[in-house]
Amino acid sequence: NKFPLTNGKLGLLPKKIDDMLGNNSERKIKKSNKINGKILFTRIGTFQDANSSYLSAIAQVYGVKDIELYDAKYLIEKIISDLDPLTFISLNGGELWRHFVDIDQSLIPPPYFSKWCKTYPETMDFFLGDNKSITQPREELDNLVKVFIAFENFKLYCGDFNVPKQPLYFTDLFSRSWSVDLKSLNITIIKITDDQKIVIECPNVDDQLLLNKPQNKYCVLLSQDGLY
């Protein structure tokens, strides 16, 4: 029961989880091979980097395999290219974006803010309505600038492989149809604690249907010591 497994390698579940699921792996394996006709849950290793292990595990579920670069790199590129500001500000019940900007501070838009507004006209319409001026100070413009900064900070956070990626920042996103190339997922994380207890992590959201939708593909991740 080595943990973590190397990228792409199959392995048995830890015994406590195997017993919890009624998997009975020992009865279905002979000489390290699955007995024909038997069905069992197994685990599969991912590319291991302490900061992007969670995203690498999600990439493995999507079938994204890049042995020369981080498995997570493809997902990061998709987030940067496909995520739009209106979807971003709705994530985690509208709370995620607040982690990436000081919402109580009035902010001056940088020179390239105008180009950003043209890239995302729906976001501009949502916040500014009929008055599209980005030079006339007012609360609506201030809110748009804050979303702009939070959105760009989030993309910088995603692209920085020196910073640990927190699952809470991504679970809602991956449960949605936010990219035409990726299916939405219902993600469950089973965590093995330092004292070897089994914990099922449940995100604190008002409506669990935000993260678990009947039409989604199910994804179960095993976590220990910050690796997946």
Side-chain angles (χ1 to χ4, degrees):
N1 277 324
K2 177 184 176 182
F3 190 94
L5 296 172
T6 55
N7 190 33
K9 184 175 178 60
L10 292 175
L12 298 178
L13 300 179
K15 190 168 190 327
K16 283 187 178 181
I17 297 178
D18 198 80
D19 292 342
M20 181 179 69
L21 297 176
N23 204 31
N24 298 316
S25 294
E26 294 179 353
R27 303 179 187 177
K28 301 174 182 178
I29 298 291
K30 185 175 181 179
K31 294 182 179 180
S32 299
N33 291 308
K34 182 175 72 71
I35 298 173
N36 287 338
K38 299 293 185 179
I39 299 175
L40 75 159
F41 293 109
T42 61
R43 56 196 175 101
I44 185 170
T46 65
F47 181 89
Q48 288 306 327
D49 172 82
N51 290 334
S52 60
S53 179
Y54 170 77
L55 294 180
S56 290
I58 296 295
Q60 184 71 262
V61 174
Y62 282 133
V64 180
K65 299 178 182 178
D66 188 338
I67 60 175
E68 295 181 356
L69 299 171
Y70 295 107
D71 284 338
K73 183 175 182 291
Y74 177 84
L75 293 184
I76 295 301
E77 289 176 346
K78 294 302 293 181
I79 290 172
I80 292 173
S81 65
D82 292 7
L83 182 62
D84 66 88
L86 290 181
T87 298
F88 171 66
I89 63 174
S90 72
L91 294 174
N92 292 15
E95 291 297 320
L96 176 63
W97 74 277
R98 299 172 184 270
H99 291 271
F100 293 90
V101 69
D102 184 352
I103 62 172
D104 296 322
Q105 179 182 359
S106 294
L107 302 167
I108 300 174
Y112 54 92
F113 176 64
S114 175
K115 182 178 179 181
W116 185 88
C117 289
K118 293 177 181 178
T119 303
Y120 302 105
E122 296 86 357
T123 304
M124 190 177 183
D125 288 343
F126 180 83
F127 281 92
L128 300 185
D130 294 332
N131 183 359
K132 297 298 190 296
S133 171
I134 59 173
T135 58
Q136 176 188 349
R138 59 196 187 283
E139 182 179 359
E140 292 84 358
L141 179 60
D142 199 38
N143 290 334
L144 178 59
V145 172
K146 290 174 183 178
V147 168
F148 157 72
I149 291 175
F151 184 65
E152 294 304 310
N153 283 341
F154 178 69
K155 292 195 293 184
L156 288 173
Y157 162 78
C158 289
D160 188 349
F161 281 94
N162 293 315
V163 178
K165 299 300 179 289
Q166 301 297 329
L168 183 61
Y169 291 166
F170 298 94
T171 300
D172 188 7
L173 175 63
F174 292 146
S175 75
R176 304 187 184 200
S177 299
W178 61 281
S179 172
V180 296
D181 298 321
L182 301 173
K183 294 182 179 180
S184 49
L185 301 172
N186 291 332
I187 301 171
T188 298
I189 298 176
I190 300 177
K191 182 178 181 180
I192 302 175
T193 63
D194 292 339
D195 55 359
Q196 298 301 300
K197 291 182 179 179
I198 305 300
V199 176
I200 298 178
E201 294 192 343
C202 300
N204 185 20
V205 294
D206 293 332
D207 185 359
Q208 283 295 328
L209 289 178
L210 290 173
L211 304 180
N212 291 279
K213 303 176 178 66
Q215 70 273 20
N216 287 3
K217 181 179 180 180
Y218 282 87
C219 163
V220 180
L221 303 182
L222 179 61
S223 172
Q224 185 174 7
D225 298 327
L227 299 177
Y228 293 81

